Each structure stands twice: as structure tokens, then as C-alpha cells.
Amino acid sequence: MGKFVQLVVDGLSTGSIYGAIALAIVLVNQATGLINFAQGGMAVLAAYVAWWLTTHDVPLVLAILISILFSFVLGAVVERWLMRRFERGDPDTAVVVTIGLLTLITGICGWLWTYNNQQFPSLFPLGTVSVLGVSISIRSIGTTLVIIVAMLLLQGLFVGTKLGLALRAVAINPQSAAFSGLPVGRLLMVGWGLAAALGAVAGALVAPQLTLTPGMLDNALVYALAAVILGGLTSPIGVVVAAWIIGVLENLAAVYVDFIGFDLKVAVPFILIFVVLIVRPQGLFGRKVVVRV
């Protein structure tokens, strides 16, 4: 029983990493209607900025806050000077642009800071606490709590604030939003900026656990996209819960399902995606879109 609980706890911790990136993806989608494949790369760039500041004797918390501000500006600039040229065209073209942006950012990080592993300082203590015989990392607890707070804030933003409702209106129908007097351009910049800032938080939480490299979040991005599909693009809470489900089931399958093991556990989220897309295409927590003709 202790082994089972330990696997579940470790899965929740890993799922929190996936959920952090998934939340940023949902934020961009809710604000612009796009899937941003460069989200992981932007988070890594922010983590490098924070790490570089700490090497110049800037306190860690201040370095992270500066990286969050840097990311907000970067996200707004990317939307204004790059993505806006493609947002009203073919959505597939915009997606390809975000993939190219991911490659560019990864190359820039490698060029500026090399591809060597860098040790990113942790916001939380490195010790563990024992609960019912299960060792739980304090860092994992802290990461999970931060993700829960971010999830609730993001859900509240889109459901209970004028800014969130305006962002959703722009994403659904920018022309109607413009006719209603909403500043569509500025709202799109804010949406990308907020998503990039949230990605910076994710990068600062993940980097101490994975070690900082330009491709640090490549694998996590795949799992985050799986969580987005499972949870539903319209539900911040849903994508985090889906990320936790993926993390837990992946761990359990690796240990208790012999033919999967550790070598094939990466297939678990894709099997889940296949089943969910057949049974509930909008995701476990997503809303079904009805189009009136």
C-alpha cells in the first residue's frame, strides 16, 4: 500500500509540471483561439533570464519577478509584431509559426547560455516530510500548491472578470468584439503577455527539478498538450486535473502493468487521448461548442 501511495504522490508532483505548461496553453487559446507550441520555449527563456540574474547576485525571488515581467513584455511583443500577421489567416499557418518560434527560442538559449545543464536554485526547501509512511518532497508540495493557486486564479479570470470575458470574446469573434468597442489589438497583446508570464512561473518551478537546458520542457510540452486535450481547452481546472491523471496513471502503469513498464509508459497519455477523443471530443471538462446555421 505504501508503494502505491508513493507512486500516486510522485505522479501528482510530475503532473503539476505538465499542468503548469498546460495552463499557459489554455490562457493563450482562450485569449486568441490559437495553440501556442512555443509556450515551452518561452518558459525556458524566462527561466534562463532568472538564472542569469541569480548568477549576478540578484535574489532568487526578485530574479523570478523580473523574468515574469520580461516574459509579459516578450509575449506582448511577439503577438504584436509576429503573430498578428497570421492570426486572421489560416490557423494552421499560425500554428506552424509558433513551432518555428519554439525552434528559434531554443536556438537562442543554446547560443547565449550553451546546451550544458545548469542548476537552477529552488524556491522551496529540498527536504522531505513523511505522511503515513510516504516521503513527500517539500518542493513537490510547494509546486503543486502554486499550480493550484494559478489554476483557480485563471478560472476566476475567465469566469468572473471583465478582462477575462473580453479576452474570450476577442478569441471567439474578434470582428464582433471590435464592433462592440473592445480594443482587440491590446487585448490580444495582454492575452499573450499573461500566458508568457504564467509560463515564466512554470519555468521557475520546473527548472530546479529537471535542471536547466534549452530543451528542458520539450517532453513536458507533449504531456501538457495531452492534458489540454484530455481536460478541454475551455477549462483551466480541467487541464490541471487531466495533467495529474496523466502523471498518476503513467507511474502506476509503469510499475503494475508488465507489458508497459518504464519503456512504454509514454504511451499512456496517448491511449487516454484516443479514448477521450472518441467518447468526449471536447475533453473531460470542456464545453461542447454548438454552431447555429
Side-chain angles (χ1 to χ4, degrees):
M1 185 63 183
K3 182 179 181 180
F4 175 84
V5 175
Q6 186 70 63
L7 289 171
V8 170
V9 170
D10 291 343
L12 290 173
S13 175
T14 305
S16 295
I17 295 175
Y18 308 150
I21 307 300
L23 280 175
I25 293 173
V26 167
L27 179 50
V28 167
N29 180 263
Q30 289 291 284
T32 67
L34 296 176
I35 299 293
N36 180 17
F37 283 88
Q39 192 64 61
M42 296 171 75
V44 170
L45 178 58
Y48 266 109
V49 170
W51 170 79
W52 179 81
L53 289 171
T54 60
T55 62
H56 288 74
D57 299 324
V58 177
L60 177 60
V61 173
L62 179 58
I64 292 174
L65 291 175
I66 292 173
S67 74
I68 291 173
L69 178 60
F70 165 81
S71 294
F72 180 88
V73 175
L74 175 65
V77 169
V78 166
E79 191 287 323
R80 176 63 182 86
W81 298 105
L82 179 63
M83 297 309 303
R84 191 169 298 185
R85 302 173 185 272
F86 304 97
E87 282 169 349
R88 297 191 180 183
D90 187 346
D92 293 337
T93 302
V95 169
V96 172
V97 171
T98 65
I99 296 174
L101 183 60
L102 169 62
T103 304
L104 175 63
I105 292 175
T106 301
I108 290 174
C109 290
W111 174 56
L112 291 175
W113 294 290
T114 76
Y115 288 88
N116 298 326
N117 291 352
Q118 307 292 347
Q119 192 61 48
F120 192 96
S122 176
L123 271 172
F124 306 104
L126 301 180
T128 61
V129 294
S130 180
V131 180
L132 300 177
V134 178
S135 295
I136 304 176
S137 166
I138 297 176
R139 184 168 61 186
S140 297
I141 295 174
T143 300
T144 302
L145 291 176
V146 171
I147 297 307
I148 291 174
V149 171
M151 170 187 70
L152 295 176
L153 288 176
L154 194 56
Q155 185 76 18
L157 171 69
F158 286 120
V159 174
T161 68
K162 292 182 179 179
L163 174 60
L165 294 175
L167 289 171
R168 291 172 60 188
V170 169
I172 294 171
N173 194 326
Q175 290 183 335
S176 295
F179 290 147
S180 301
L182 293 176
V184 173
R186 276 182 288 176
L187 285 170
L188 289 173
M189 291 176 66
V190 168
W192 272 80
L194 288 175
L198 181 57
V201 175
L205 293 173
V206 173
Q209 301 185 49
L210 301 182
T211 70
L212 185 58
T213 63
M216 174 182 70
L217 292 179
D218 289 352
N219 290 335
L221 178 63
V222 175
Y223 285 101
L225 290 169
V228 168
I229 295 173
L230 289 176
L233 273 169
T234 59
S235 175
I237 293 177
V239 298
V240 173
V241 172
W244 286 336
I245 291 173
I246 289 173
V248 170
L249 290 183
E250 187 182 43
N251 274 5
L252 295 178
V255 174
Y256 292 111
V257 183
D258 293 335
F259 72 89
I260 291 181
F262 289 93
D263 293 333
L264 292 178
K265 70 175 186 176
V266 69
V268 172
F270 298 102
I271 295 173
L272 291 174
I273 289 173
F274 180 76
V275 173
V276 169
L277 286 178
I278 292 176
V279 177
R280 189 175 171 82
Q282 68 270 29
L284 296 175
F285 301 89
R287 295 189 301 271
K288 190 173 184 178
V289 178
V290 178
V291 178
R292 297 182 179 180
V293 180

